[in-house]
Amino acid sequence: MSSNCDTCPSKGKCTSEKGSCSIENNVNNKVKKVIAVMSGKGGVGKSTMSTMIAKTLRKKGYSVGVLDADITGPSIPRLLNIKETEVFGSEQGILPVTSKEDIKVMSINFLINDEESPVILRGPAVSATVKQFWTDVYWGELDYLIIDMPPGTGDVPLTVMQSIPINGVVVVTTPQDMVSMIVAKSINMARKMNVEVLGVIQNMSYLVCPDCNTKIKIFKDEDFKEYIDRMHTKLLGEMPMTLDLAKISDGEVTQYGDKVEETLNEITDEIEKFCK
Ligand code: ADP
């Protein structure tokens, strides 16, 4: 297996001299676009949004994969209700597990016997694992590979950005004061690494009253739109907090309500537009 610019999702847009970057592409893969989902801190719904973006793109007819790069807090198999804890190899590379929605997934949870076992690895080993999920996994042909990034702006997200040819970044946040400052760090990090930021999803933006359908804002965030302008980025969508979204791992919910579906369509429309 060797590096190959011809199978790189950045082909045509890359400014590095041929063969000069540190990215290794698996010659057997044809991944068209790689979209990373980032957040400044954990618990804001990054993995939930990665999962819902993947499901929506799949519903729209695209071939989709999810690379769970959140090695120490892997939640994609749970969120996609995948029970397997085994992966198999082939001549082309490690085979990802396919969810019932026909989404290909690779996660460290498939490589450990018990999903409750902690992943005790030092930074470089975590980074190496993520790198392998790109170079050694046989993703085959994919329209979109969604990367559920590790939270924050530390060592691992940095290596991910250096070793996977990410076309664009979606940042997930919640409407709280402190979070904006931390979000700015993610946006600025992506820009420093020359990765384009598609925009920001404000998750848990509001609740909908089940009796009168009124939007209830839990947090005070009047300045969010101004903040988005100041960061020269875009608000991709305001996602409500709903019970259905909180229990996607049950695998039983298939409809998420108009507001959630509308927001997911808005977000994925932007991703499609960006990737054209
Ligand atoms: P992160 O990946 O940022 O750590 P998760 O996606 O794991 O965050 O979400 C953290 C928790 O919040 C989970 O329990 C998840 O079910 C819940 N959650 C995320 N987004 C929503 C939402 N829009 N509505 C309700 N619950 C949500």
Side-chain angles (χ1 to χ4, degrees), residues 80-128:
L80 279 169
N81 198 27
I82 301 175
K83 304 271 188 317
E84 275 95 334
T85 52
E86 233 182 344
V87 288
F88 298 94
S90 74
E91 274 183 20
Q92 287 89 354
I94 305 164
L95 297 171
V97 175
T98 305
S99 77
K100 72 171 190 324
E101 297 86 355
D102 193 28
I103 296 169
K104 291 179 183 173
V105 182
M106 183 47 71
S107 170
I108 189 89
N109 261 7
F110 300 145
L111 308 174
I112 52 181
N113 290 332
D114 170 8
E115 69 165 9
E116 290 182 359
S117 300
V119 178
I120 305 172
L121 293 175
R122 292 197 188 273
V126 174
S127 299

Side-chain angles (χ1 to χ4, degrees), residues 39 41-49 70 75 79 148 151 203-204 239-243 245-247:
S39 70
K41 66 184 195 77
V44 298
K46 168 184 58 60
S47 306
T48 304
M49 289 305 109
D70 196 349
S75 36
L79 291 171
D148 185 27
N203 188 30
M204 309 191 203
M239 188 62 79
M241 194 171 188
T242 75
L243 206 54
L245 279 173
K247 53 178 198 188

Side-chain angles (χ1 to χ4, degrees), residues 7-118:
T7 57
C8 187
S10 293
K11 194 183 171 196
K13 280 201 166 171
C14 175
T15 51
S16 315
E17 210 174 292
K18 198 167 171 143
S20 70
C21 76
S22 54
I23 291 170
E24 273 182 51
N25 296 303
N26 183 329
V27 288
N28 298 309
N29 288 335
K30 282 200 185 86
V31 178
K32 288 192 192 142
K33 294 290 169 197
V34 179
I35 301 294
V37 181
M38 282 184 88
S39 70
K41 66 184 195 77
V44 298
K46 168 184 58 60
S47 306
T48 304
M49 289 305 109
S50 302
T51 305
M52 294 310 293
I53 288 170
K55 283 193 188 193
T56 311
L57 287 169
R58 183 69 200 103
K59 256 199 214 161
K60 288 185 174 186
Y62 296 105
S63 47
V64 182
V66 182
L67 188 162
D68 189 355
D70 196 349
I71 301 292
T72 50
S75 36
I76 298 297
R78 262 282 177 107
L79 291 171
L80 279 169
N81 198 27
I82 301 175
K83 304 271 188 317
E84 275 95 334
T85 52
E86 233 182 344
V87 288
F88 298 94
S90 74
E91 274 183 20
Q92 287 89 354
I94 305 164
L95 297 171
V97 175
T98 305
S99 77
K100 72 171 190 324
E101 297 86 355
D102 193 28
I103 296 169
K104 291 179 183 173
V105 182
M106 183 47 71
S107 170
I108 189 89
N109 261 7
F110 300 145
L111 308 174
I112 52 181
N113 290 332
D114 170 8
E115 69 165 9
E116 290 182 359
S117 300

Side-chain angles (χ1 to χ4, degrees), residues 38 161 169 171 183-200 227-234:
M38 282 184 88
M161 288 204 169
V169 161
V171 181
V183 167
K185 287 190 198 293
S186 299
I187 295 177
N188 289 330
M189 175 184 183
R191 288 183 177 152
K192 278 211 170 111
M193 302 299 294
N194 289 323
V195 181
E196 216 172 307
V197 178
L198 275 77
V200 180
Y227 168 79
I228 289 286
D229 287 344
R230 188 156 44 84
M231 288 306 297
H232 303 287
T233 190
K234 213 183 240 177

Side-chain angles (χ1 to χ4, degrees), residues 121-157:
L121 293 175
R122 292 197 188 273
V126 174
S127 299
T129 307
V130 177
K131 223 170 145 173
Q132 264 189 298
F133 283 178
W134 172 249
T135 52
D136 298 356
V137 171
Y138 178 46
W139 294 102
E141 286 197 27
L142 282 184
D143 291 315
Y144 292 101
L145 180 67
I146 307 298
I147 303 195
D148 185 27
M149 293 283 278
T153 49
D155 189 38
V156 184

